[in-house]
Amino acid sequence: MSDHVPLTTDRPGQVASAAPPAPGRSRRLGDRGLAVAFISPALLLLLAMSVFPLLWALYLSFTDYSATRGGPANFVGFGNYTAILTSAQVHTRALTTLIYVVGAVGLQTVLGFGIAYLISRRTHGRGVLTTLFLVPMMLSPVVVGLFWRFMLDAQFGVVNSMLGSVGLGQVEWLTRQRTALLSLVVVDTWQWTPFIMLIALAGLTAVPKYLYEAASIDRASEWFRFRTITLPLVWPLLLIAVMFRAIEAFRLFDLVYILTNGGPGVSTETLSFHIYKVAFLGFNTGTASAYGILMVLVVIVLTQFYLRYLNKLKEG
Amino acid sequence: MAVSVDEAVATGPARDHTPPARRRGGRGRSVLEVALLTLLAVVMLFPVLWMIETSIKENRDVYAIPAKFFDFTITLDHYRDVFVDPDGGRSALSVSFLNSVVVAGASTVLATVLGVPAAWAYSRFAVKAKKDQLFFILSTRFMPPVVVVIPIFLMYRQVGLIDNKLGLILIYSAFNVPFTIWMMKGFVDEVPAEYEDAAMLDGYTRLQAFRRFTLPLLVPGIAATAVFALIFSWNEFVFATFLTSSDDVRTAPPAIAGLIGGTTTDWGLVAAASVVFALPVLVFAYLVRKHLIAGVTLGAVRR
């Protein structure tokens, strides 16, 4: 391609306006060629680092390959898939993941929207408030997980210390089955409520003021205005945020790994965490691959919903 | 950008009361709302403040029961321990911070170099099945890391990229390219294509028009996008923990997580390391606050 570039226009900058290079030939550089040249490197990286690994995982999922045992991989057909889909262990993890996703995303949505609504009603200090609320979201899951682990410690954790000072009993947050999952939901909510808040706030501030003015002329009640003006206008954007969070929550791994390590027992093992155990502690690479592929299928379906909706919203 | 716009949606409640009563009711409610907001802000910020407090406490105050909120002895020992080894010399943690800088920096540069031209091409040219391509690109970003890491691990074992910074740089770039393309496409869309058309009428090639006229206008967008890519790579944990093991290669997130492995945990050190680790992220996030919505939704939502 480069041989099409006229030699005289190597550095057109200095003389650009005074003496532009001769028009004509240069256009034939070819938009098509340029597009291919610009897009393909990025696509190649994605193919090598995302698509190829997934195809490999797909192949492994039909074998009994083990990463440590080595040796040849024997073809086992759909054996891994039936084993996973009928496994009671997997069903337990699916339920845990579902409870976690619904609980965490639900709480985040309610709280995030609530905070956004309160902030949007303030005239002053919105910028500062928003910035402060956004801090948890920017932290690494490692920092968040470790720090909450410290704060929720049964002996010297500050949460129990505060509970004690108001006369409430001590709670073994991370070492009891029920409270461990609850802790996970709480920590995730703490970190990601700002995400929903940020997007809800964008929706809320975009609602045209005249709609409210018209409504107050009509003496519409506060609740009526909220239900008929605010909510319908913010809802599409809020749904985008909720779907985004749901996909992310479904894949959750790092917070579990750091906060509870799946325990006590298996009470906080999500699907991602279970895959990690099957692959890296059980060394059943074939089974783990099938497990992973099934998870990817779910993610693809969720992502399709998300992208379709996003597309509709952009065009609408 | 909606968030920083200082223009109220609805200033105060407008009820069907008589004016004085309405004002008093409005004020009462306003006070209640401010109180609620303050309470929520305190709850949200408390863990961060507690982390900072723990990082400057003496060890016996860190483990005090009940917890000490105000009267504790201030020390910077934990911060010294983050950087300096007890036996002198550099600590393993400080090496991991350096590794993080290298890995996050290099992967951001690579993702930017690959992503920006692609974004421009997607914005300007009629590419076949453009929408499908773009959606495919974004959906690779949603793959569960734990699933991807299994074949990547096997792949890297074959080519000797396990426990190698280059391996991390490549996988982080692959995760940042979709984001860069989506984010940058938005910025390119905002620059009128007519600028390039005009330049081409003057005889520039398409490539020259891009380089000389569009690219300079994209610099702020590129900077913002790069900052987000930097933050993603900096914070990433799953790939870092499974693909690296030695102290010379390990990045900061697994190194900090490794502090809690033993029987006793030096929480003061964990807190100090976390503060040092999180501070640059917060500074950078503040710099790009105008683009935060696009940034955290991977460029999908723009305002």
Side-chain angles (χ1 to χ4, degrees):
Chain A
M1 248 180 314
S2 54
D3 48 349
H4 286 280
V5 179
L7 290 168
T8 48
T9 56
D10 269 338
R11 304 187 61 71
Q14 289 80 355
V15 288
S17 48
R25 288 162 39 102
S26 48
R27 285 215 55 159
R28 257 180 285 138
L29 182 68
D31 287 355
R32 219 185 145 64
L34 204 56
V36 171
F38 271 26
I39 290 172
S40 47
L43 280 186
L44 278 179
L45 183 72
L46 287 183
L47 287 177
M49 303 300 291
S50 295
V51 179
F52 177 69
L54 274 184
L55 289 178
W56 195 348
L58 187 65
Y59 156 71
L60 288 176
S61 72
F62 293 108
T63 69
D64 63 352
Y65 180 73
S66 166
T68 45
R69 182 162 42 78
N74 298 311
F75 196 69
V76 296
F78 282 92
N80 287 327
Y81 286 94
T82 47
I84 287 160
L85 288 173
T86 54
S87 156
Q89 283 190 1
V90 175
H91 297 165
T92 316
R93 271 59 167 200
L95 187 66
T96 308
T97 309
L98 187 72
I99 294 173
Y100 160 75
V101 170
V102 172
V105 177
L107 260 177
Q108 283 156 31
T109 310
V110 173
L111 273 175
F113 185 80
I115 294 174
Y117 187 67
L118 288 179
I119 290 183
S120 76
R121 293 174 57 88
R122 298 263 63 78
T123 338
H124 303 291
R126 270 208 237 165
V128 180
L129 266 176
T130 315
T131 313
L132 286 180
F133 272 112
L134 289 177
V135 169
M137 186 176 79
M138 302 316 296
L139 300 176
S140 170
V142 176
V143 171
V144 172
L146 282 176
F147 220 71
W148 275 92
R149 193 166 151 169
F150 175 56
M151 298 208 315
L152 291 174
D153 191 282
Q155 284 164 22
F156 48 81
V158 67
V159 174
N160 270 353
S161 183
M162 286 195 286
L163 283 181
S165 63
V166 292
L168 289 168
Q170 307 288 290
V171 181
E172 289 186 36
W173 292 103
L174 299 173
T175 42
R176 284 281 158 85
Q177 303 232 348
R178 292 253 171 98
T179 49
L181 189 56
L182 179 72
S183 306
L184 202 62
V185 169
V186 167
V187 175
D188 194 76
T189 303
W190 177 76
Q191 183 171 21
W192 292 109
T193 294
F195 178 86
I196 305 264
M197 180 208 84
L198 180 67
I199 295 175
L201 195 56
L204 283 168
T205 36
V207 176
K209 216 170 163 181
Y210 64 82
L211 288 178
Y212 291 109
E213 282 160 4
S216 61
I217 289 169
D218 289 345
R219 303 199 154 216
S221 75
E222 188 107 8
W223 167 243
F224 183 83
R225 283 192 297 161
F226 180 79
R227 197 164 47 85
T228 55
I229 301 173
T230 314
L231 211 51
L233 283 172
V234 179
W235 180 244
L237 207 55
L238 192 64
L239 198 59
I240 286 284
V242 170
M243 286 159 94
F244 192 92
R245 274 306 306 149
I247 298 173
E248 294 252 291
F250 179 71
R251 324 183 294 176
L252 177 86
F253 172 78
D254 26 26
L255 195 61
V256 182
Y257 184 83
I258 291 182
L259 197 64
T260 64
N261 207 12
V266 297
S267 55
T268 52
E269 278 190 13
T270 56
L271 289 168
S272 269
F273 193 83
H274 197 206
I275 291 183
Y276 146 74
K277 274 177 76 177
V278 175
F280 289 93
L281 304 179
F283 300 113
N284 294 314
T285 315
T287 317
S289 299
Y291 205 159
I293 292 292
L294 286 172
M295 232 186 118
V296 166
L297 288 181
V298 177
V299 171
I300 287 176
V301 170
L302 291 176
T303 317
Q304 279 307 310
F305 274 123
Y306 169 74
L307 293 175
R308 289 266 166 80
Y309 186 74
L310 191 70
N311 197 25
K312 208 178 85 189
L313 201 69
K314 280 195 168 163
E315 286 177 348
Chain B
M1 167 63 185
V3 177
S4 57
V5 176
D6 270 332
E7 161 192 320
V9 175
T11 36
R15 295 201 195 131
D16 41 355
H17 290 307
T18 49
R22 170 179 147 184
R23 201 178 303 145
R24 199 174 305 133
R27 192 180 299 153
R29 187 175 151 173
S30 191
V31 168
L32 194 72
E33 282 180 6
V34 171
L36 200 58
L37 260 181
T38 315
L39 181 74
L40 285 165
V42 168
V43 172
M44 292 301 277
L45 285 179
F46 175 75
V48 179
L49 295 177
W50 190 245
M51 178 164 82
I52 296 168
E53 213 181 297
T54 306
S55 73
I56 54 169
K57 272 182 186 172
E58 291 242 331
N59 263 334
R60 62 187 150 79
D61 290 335
V62 169
Y63 299 100
I65 306 170
K68 286 190 174 176
F69 289 94
F70 301 110
D71 52 338
F72 54 85
T73 324
I74 292 178
T75 172
L76 289 177
D77 285 358
H78 301 304
Y79 284 97
R80 192 200 57 212
D81 292 344
V82 169
F83 294 104
V84 187
D85 207 59
D87 321 323
R90 279 222 307 259
S91 68
L93 261 179
S94 69
V95 175
S96 75
F97 275 112
L98 219 57
N99 291 335
S100 268
V101 171
V102 171
V103 169
S107 65
T108 301
V109 169
L110 189 57
T112 307
V113 167
L114 292 178
V116 172
W120 176 72
Y122 276 122
S123 174
R124 290 291 188 257
F125 301 131
V127 182
K128 215 182 285 171
K130 185 195 285 188
K131 205 169 272 170
D132 294 335
Q133 282 193 32
L134 282 170
F135 280 161
F136 159 75
I137 287 172
L138 189 62
S139 60
T140 61
R141 184 59 168 65
F142 282 110
M143 291 301 128
V146 179
V147 177
V148 179
V149 84
I150 298 170
I152 287 279
F153 183 86
L154 299 174
M155 206 165 109
Y156 276 13
R157 209 170 57 171
Q158 292 283 324
V159 294
L161 281 177
I162 294 280
D163 204 18
N164 187 327
K165 274 180 229 166
L166 182 62
L168 276 189
I169 292 171
L170 282 176
I171 190 76
Y172 287 173
S173 305
F175 260 61
N176 274 330
V177 156
F179 163 72
T180 306
I181 292 179
W182 269 72
M183 187 91 173
M184 282 312 299
K185 186 174 174 295
F187 285 118
V188 180
D189 286 344
E190 282 168 10
V191 177
E194 283 77 16
Y195 288 8
E196 282 163 34
D197 296 340
M200 282 162 70
L201 280 180
D202 283 347
Y204 293 98
T205 63
R206 175 73 89 163
L207 191 60
Q208 287 164 340
F210 165 63
R211 259 208 319 247
R212 293 222 23 93
F213 298 97
T214 311
L215 204 54
L217 294 175
L218 290 178
V219 168
I222 293 175
T225 309
V227 165
F228 280 109
L230 205 61
I231 293 177
F232 289 140
S233 310
W234 180 261
N235 280 347
E236 208 284 333
F237 174 71
V238 180
F239 292 113
T241 198
F242 288 121
L243 299 179
T244 63
S245 50
S246 66
D247 282 349
D248 322 333
V249 180
R250 216 161 45 154
T251 54
I256 295 174
L259 293 176
I260 58 164
T263 43
T264 54
T265 302
D266 185 351
W267 284 108
L269 180 63
V270 172
S274 301
V275 170
V276 174
F277 181 71
L279 208 59
V281 177
L282 294 181
V283 171
F284 275 121
Y286 186 74
L287 292 179
V288 293
R289 63 193 181 283
K290 268 172 65 185
H291 305 288
L292 215 48
I293 293 182
V296 295
T297 56
L298 308 177
V301 178
R302 303 188 73 87
R303 289 270 116 190

